Amino acid sequence: MTLQFDATESDLQLFLEEAAEQLRTLSDGLLRMERDDSDPLLIQAVFRAAHTLKGSSATIGHTNMAALTHAMESVLDRIRQGSLPVTTPIVDTLLQCVDALNVLNEEVNTLVPSGLAVDDLIRGLHGAAAAPAPEVQEEAAPVAVVATGAVEVIVAIDTSSEWPAVRAYQALMELAALGTVVASWPSEDELQKGESGHWLRVHLQTDRPAAALHGAAGSVSEVVSVTVTHPDASQVRQGTPDPEQTPDPDRRRVDLGTAARGASPDDQLAIAGQKLSTAQRMVKVDIARLDELMNLVGELVIDRGRLLQVLRELSARSGNDGALEHLSEITQHLSRVSDDLQEQVMLSRLLPVESVFNRFPRMVRDLAKKSQKSIRFVMEGEQTGLDRSVIDEIGDPLLHLLRNAVDHGVEPADERRGAGKHPEATLLLSARHEENYIVIEVTDDGRGINHQKIRESAVRKGLLSAEAATRMTDEEAINLIFAPGFSTAEQVTDVSGRGVGMDIVRTNIEKIGGTVRVHTAAGEGTTFSIKLPLTLAIIRALLVRVGEAIFTVPLAAVQETMRVRTDSIHTVHRREVVLVRGQALPLVRLADVFSRSGRKVQCDTPDWCYIVVVRSGRTDLGLVVDALIGEQEVVIKSLGGVLGEVDGVAGATILGDGRVSMIVDVAKVVEKLAARAAA
Amino acid sequence: MADMQTNDGEEQVVVFELANEHYGIDIGRVQEIIRLPAITAVPRAPECVEGVVNLRGRVIPVLNLRTRFGLPDGERGRSSRIVVLEVNGNTVGALVDGVSEVLRVPVNAVEPPGATLTGPETAHLRGIAKLEERLVILLNLDHIVDLAQRELVAA
């Protein structure tokens, strides 16, 4: 049996996309509401998500979903009006409903009925809404009431509105009915003259709850958002704020101090404004289509390589020739165009890092609470774009770095006071572009990393000898934190784990062709700086030959290449090494690494061979190959669903002659060598 | 999809050769048949994975069906082909000695493999089509690819 919905295939697709977004808003929003129920903007967003979902599910004829969202909407509406406090049981019930909605949503995808009955849930919701509001407890104070203070209300009007001034005026009148207007921008006079942008900012003296103000201003049509904040008296500024001129639109603050109330009005205004003004110039494109586009560009890049190769062969054969010169010109032009096209397509695939950053404020807040530290968490450059493939990979490393910063970097408030610092620490997460890279930094103003302590700890853990530790420069010592099995935490906490963190951070970042650097100053703080390529789809690589096979080594991992006599390779403890500048460099023969069961890659090592020195983590390793072919841009292809992940292979690429070449997974090869050495 | 090829109790199969035997694959599964391009070996892959090839910009794995069926590895000659197949949503190539024809096989000419053959390889078979002049062994592709995948995980 299959389900039938009253909509076309593409309508259903659209529904699914939108529903996914609304469901995310609902679950994220509910979690945040549980912690802080005084943010009317948030409650409004959650309410709106339920409302939208109700409408769209009714449109496609999904009666179960419509009924459930309707019941949720009623509960959320009471919360919004301030007549129902946000309690854990209510949030639990609502979250259960979200789970159910996810199941119901899947029905639209698969057209297979889930058999889920919503009646119980709906009854549960009615029960929750009908239950008498419990005595208002201290911690669950549902409504933020400012007795005598002024509140600031910011009203955003739809940019497509024909009568922004009229709408702003209506909103102003609504608000005026609930208190005394101290000041407004634009002023009442200006509004009456019809002078208005799409913004209204009001300072209002009122004792009404935020939700009431919100409801009043929100009742005016074409109002898209209402923000109510409680600025300190000192922040109630005179003069005209200009939403068009915000210093840095990417900057958003998330205060974690006691008086935290999310982003400051200025910043919210900037963010909302940005969304509104850009929305009209944007086109929604299916991500699969962008992937396909990237594939096609990849083919073009490959063909360009092939064309160049043919051109080289032809010129070698026939020397100077007018037609050949012509061909060469065309090829060069094609190269330039395909370069530009590649860049443009790559840029169009970029997503704001926001999608990763978003989960951190909650996490840092929780961690800070747990470790009883006062931390102001600031995020910058969340709009910085990064390829989806990279975005998927950076979440975990960042999480580790932030955890470490909270746990080790930042001192307790007492210690900070003692050091003459502000008791509230600042933790900054920032992203920015630098040429073809993105740089993400985690900076704290904590105690910094003590290199002496690191040395002692490393020696104690047997990572190196005391003598070696003293010989190290301070910088080298600090880099020991990336060594496997290292942790400076005096006690193991459930916050930053057991010293696997930094090791894994570095490995994961290098796996996606990035680097991580640490900069620290005693008593001033620490910065971890991660540099990542914009995309993982196309990389620069070194092609090497082993026997008849051509392997691809990502250039990001290559330190240097050298040509050595085969008799200069020595065997130490059954392992081959070569001396480079007085240091023994362990060697790995690519032919051995990539031998298949039964068949060996034929290696024709005569008197000379080439060594590609690669690095992963702190380990250098020499890959022994027969010849170096050259450097070029390669398009990374997956080996396909059947083969999945092959050990030691990071993927495949297609060479200029149409052959497939394996991309060496340097991190894996180094890891294997280390495991063999340990065995 | 297979239903679309069935007509009046017939199915259409692409017949190819392996060590002088005739094998058949449901035509609905065959995307195309190509001449041998350069095949790149895959490190640590199970024996039956011949390697990967470039199919117009896509990298697809190629299975060596001779190895799979325990037949001696043959020379690759002018008639060798790769049959590009769609199996479980994946594209896979099968290396064969040669492709001979497309046959209509009446459903009632197909016997289950157990009736005439025994042994571990029978799991790869869907049945035996007894035609006037010869036998065509019909393959169970899902099983073959499945097994290769499991071997790969175990490797």
Side-chain angles (χ1 to χ4, degrees):
Chain A
M1 181 178 121
T2 57
L3 288 167
Q4 289 258 314
F5 291 107
D6 186 18
T8 64
E9 182 91 349
S10 68
D11 283 348
L12 286 183
Q13 208 49 49
L14 196 68
F15 170 82
L16 283 170
E17 276 169 33
E18 285 188 4
E21 208 172 304
Q22 309 298 353
L23 286 168
R24 244 196 328 274
T25 309
L26 272 174
S27 62
D28 290 356
L30 286 169
L31 284 172
R32 278 167 57 199
M33 267 166 66
E34 187 180 18
R35 286 180 302 122
D36 176 11
D37 62 0
S38 61
D39 183 355
L41 204 63
L42 175 62
I43 298 174
Q44 178 66 13
V46 173
F47 172 79
R48 209 164 269 214
H51 179 78
T52 309
L53 210 49
K54 180 184 83 170
S56 56
S57 56
T59 310
I60 63 160
H62 199 322
T63 45
N64 274 349
M65 203 157 174
L68 185 56
T69 41
H70 177 70
M72 290 172 75
E73 188 192 7
S74 312
V75 171
L76 288 166
D77 192 36
R78 288 198 52 199
I79 293 174
R80 188 172 65 137
Q81 305 294 343
S83 68
L84 189 69
V86 181
T87 59
T88 305
I90 285 182
V91 171
D92 280 348
T93 313
L94 286 169
L95 283 172
Q96 274 169 17
C97 294
V98 175
D99 292 343
L101 286 178
N102 274 312
V103 174
L104 294 174
N105 192 40
E106 192 55 25
E107 286 181 352
V108 181
N109 198 11
T110 60
L111 298 180
V112 178
S114 63
L116 184 100
V118 294
D119 299 355
D120 282 353
L121 282 167
I122 292 175
R123 263 197 299 280
L125 283 169
H126 287 325
E135 292 294 304
V136 176
Q137 292 153 9
E138 195 86 39
E139 65 206 314
V143 186
V145 178
V146 178
T148 53
V151 294
E152 181 171 73
V153 184
I154 296 165
V155 179
I157 291 145
D158 196 326
T159 46
S160 62
S161 168
E162 304 250 324
W163 318 100
V166 175
R167 301 307 181 202
Y169 186 73
Q170 285 177 318
L172 182 62
M173 290 303 106
E174 288 285 348
L175 290 168
L178 300 176
T180 315
V181 174
V182 178
S184 82
W185 301 271
S187 70
E188 195 179 327
D189 281 351
E190 287 168 332
L191 285 174
Q192 277 178 336
K193 280 185 241 152
E195 294 171 18
S196 171
H198 297 274
W199 298 96
L200 172 69
R201 176 189 289 225
V202 183
H203 284 160
L204 191 70
Q205 197 81 33
T206 181
D207 56 0
R208 301 295 295 269
L213 301 177
H214 198 277
S219 69
V220 175
S221 60
E222 294 187 309
V223 165
V224 289
S225 84
V226 181
T227 317
V228 182
T229 49
H230 305 267
D232 295 339
S234 61
Q235 274 180 286
V236 180
R237 279 167 286 170
Q238 300 299 318
T240 313
D242 184 358
E244 250 69 45
Q245 282 187 353
T246 322
D248 181 359
D250 266 356
R251 191 171 183 126
R252 185 167 78 183
R253 255 187 312 270
V254 182
D255 272 308
L256 294 177
T258 42
R261 181 139 284 117
S264 80
D266 269 319
D267 296 336
Q268 277 186 356
L269 202 61
I271 291 159
Q274 214 178 21
K275 279 184 183 150
L276 288 176
S277 60
T278 48
Q280 290 160 334
R281 291 181 290 113
M282 295 293 182
V283 180
K284 230 178 180 177
V285 181
D286 188 345
I287 201 90
R289 190 163 289 175
L290 288 179
D291 283 349
E292 185 53 34
L293 204 54
M294 193 67 175
N295 272 337
L296 291 172
V297 169
E299 301 238 333
L300 202 58
V301 171
I302 291 164
D303 279 344
R304 178 185 67 191
R306 297 177 69 164
L307 203 55
L308 285 170
Q309 185 162 332
V310 170
L311 190 66
R312 268 196 301 273
E313 280 166 20
L314 281 179
S315 349
R317 206 177 302 165
S318 59
N320 272 344
D321 181 324
L324 208 57
E325 219 160 86
H326 213 125
L327 182 64
S328 160
E329 255 169 49
I330 295 170
T331 312
Q332 274 172 21
H333 184 246
L334 187 72
S335 293
R336 270 202 308 278
V337 173
S338 62
D339 272 346
D340 290 351
L341 185 62
Q342 181 185 328
E343 191 181 333
Q344 289 304 320
V345 170
M346 207 181 68
L347 289 177
S348 71
R349 283 167 48 100
L350 301 185
L351 285 178
V353 285
E354 199 178 17
S355 56
V356 186
F357 280 18
N358 272 347
R359 59 199 245 223
F360 294 134
R362 163 84 194 268
M363 191 201 79
V364 172
R365 171 180 284 200
D366 290 355
L367 290 175
K369 257 189 201 149
K370 206 181 259 179
S371 50
Q372 293 172 335
K373 288 171 181 169
S374 172
I375 296 175
R376 196 170 71 94
F377 184 47
V378 183
M379 299 202 292
E380 275 177 19
E382 301 135 285
Q383 294 302 320
T384 311
L386 190 55
D387 194 275
R388 204 163 49 93
S389 51
V390 186
I391 281 205
D392 291 344
E393 304 292 332
I394 56 165
D396 286 349
L398 287 179
L399 185 130
H400 273 296
L401 289 177
L402 289 170
R403 278 180 165 186
N404 270 320
V406 173
D407 205 35
H408 308 318
V410 170
E411 322 89 322
D414 295 348
E415 193 181 324
R416 290 181 66 88
R417 263 189 222 99
K421 289 181 178 177
H422 194 286
E424 189 182 53
T426 301
L427 182 56
L428 172 72
L429 176 62
S430 71
R432 64 173 188 276
H433 281 300
E434 270 181 20
E435 289 167 23
N436 270 331
Y437 291 90
I438 180 175
V439 177
I440 300 181
E441 289 184 339
V442 175
T443 303
D444 66 60
D445 64 349
R447 56 171 78 97
I449 301 175
N450 182 331
H451 53 82
Q452 201 49 45
K453 251 183 164 170
I454 301 277
R455 279 194 179 105
E456 287 162 16
S457 178
V459 171
R460 200 167 54 241
K461 292 188 170 72
L463 295 177
L464 74 173
S465 69
E467 188 207 357
T470 37
R471 231 185 14 237
M472 274 184 163
T473 65
D474 292 353
E475 198 189 331
E476 281 171 337
I478 282 162
N479 274 308
L480 282 171
I481 58 170
F482 292 112
F486 184 89
S487 167
T488 47
E490 268 137 38
Q491 66 208 55
V492 171
T493 67
D494 64 334
V495 177
S496 52
R498 292 181 165 69
V500 287
M502 297 311 286
D503 174 23
I504 285 176
V505 166
R506 175 172 260 186
T507 317
N508 283 351
I509 288 168
E510 281 174 354
K511 210 181 268 171
I512 51 175
T515 57
V516 54
R517 274 226 193 60
V518 53
H519 175 82
T520 186
E524 284 171 29
T526 307
T527 298
F528 285 94
S529 186
I530 299 174
K531 196 171 170 187
L532 295 165
L534 276 187
T535 177
L536 298 185
I538 296 179
I539 57 164
R540 287 207 69 79
L542 178 68
L543 303 188
V544 300
R545 189 174 60 80
V546 178
E548 286 191 348
I550 291 173
F551 290 103
T552 304
V553 186
L555 211 57
V558 176
Q559 300 296 310
E560 58 179 321
T561 58
M562 56 186 79
R563 183 165 174 258
V564 301
R565 286 192 66 87
T566 41
D567 56 21
S568 67
I569 296 176
H570 305 285
T571 307
V572 180
H573 294 304
R574 283 175 294 140
R575 279 170 56 191
E576 288 185 312
V577 295
V578 70
L579 283 180
V580 179
R581 292 181 286 274
Q583 298 267 337
L585 178 75
L587 297 179
V588 162
R589 289 181 186 266
L590 263 195
D592 294 341
V593 178
F594 286 119
S595 69
R596 318 180 20 154
S597 49
R599 280 175 255 184
K600 278 225 160 196
V601 183
Q602 282 298 311
C603 185
D604 57 9
T605 316
D607 294 346
W608 292 89
C609 64
Y610 288 86
I611 290 174
V612 181
V613 182
V614 292
R615 174 176 293 178
S616 169
R618 297 172 53 245
T619 314
D620 280 356
L621 184 76
L623 300 175
V624 183
V625 301
D626 291 341
L628 305 178
I629 294 173
E631 211 182 290
Q632 80 178 56
E633 283 205 324
V634 301
V635 181
I636 300 182
K637 305 260 174 182
S638 129
L639 285 177
V642 172
L643 292 175
E645 279 192 21
V646 177
D647 209 17
V649 175
T653 190
I654 293 168
L655 302 177
D657 63 2
R659 276 206 285 171
V660 179
S661 166
M662 297 288 151
I663 300 173
V664 179
D665 184 345
V666 171
K668 228 356 179 313
V669 171
V670 170
E671 196 180 297
K672 279 211 170 304
L673 179 90
R676 219 173 54 197
Chain B
M1 291 297 283
D3 295 348
M4 293 171 69
Q5 269 74 40
T6 317
N7 194 10
D8 301 330
E10 278 184 347
E11 63 176 306
Q12 287 193 48
V13 296
V14 174
V15 179
F16 61 84
E17 282 155 42
L18 277 182
N20 298 322
E21 300 219 49
H22 299 279
Y23 291 83
I25 301 177
D26 169 16
I27 199 168
R29 294 296 192 86
V30 178
Q31 285 186 351
E32 61 186 301
I33 294 160
I34 56 171
R35 288 173 188 280
L36 286 203
I39 301 181
T40 302
V42 178
R44 297 198 188 84
E47 197 72 3
C48 72
V49 176
E50 183 69 21
V52 290
V53 295
N54 164 18
L55 180 69
R56 289 187 303 278
R58 280 167 72 198
V59 176
I60 64 163
V62 175
L63 303 180
N64 185 337
L65 289 186
R66 272 179 175 259
T67 323
R68 175 79 289 167
F69 299 151
L71 300 168
D73 204 7
E75 283 292 305
R76 265 141 238 165
R78 284 168 50 88
S79 63
S80 296
R81 293 287 184 277
I82 288 175
V83 183
V84 181
L85 304 160
E86 176 81 25
V87 185
N88 297 335
N90 291 313
T91 306
V92 183
L95 176 63
V96 302
D97 293 356
V99 176
S100 43
E101 65 204 302
V102 176
L103 275 185
R104 287 177 185 278
V105 176
V107 170
N108 57 20
V110 179
E111 288 180 9
T116 36
L117 289 174
T118 50
E121 268 77 44
T122 55
H124 296 321
L125 311 182
R126 193 156 58 81
I128 314 280
K130 291 197 167 164
L131 303 175
E132 285 163 29
E133 299 276 294
R134 57 189 164 173
L135 298 178
V136 174
I137 305 165
L138 303 180
L139 294 178
N140 179 352
L141 289 171
D142 299 327
H143 186 269
I144 292 170
V145 171
D146 233 40
L147 189 70
Q149 247 172 328
R150 263 181 285 138
E151 284 176 353
L152 194 76
V153 173

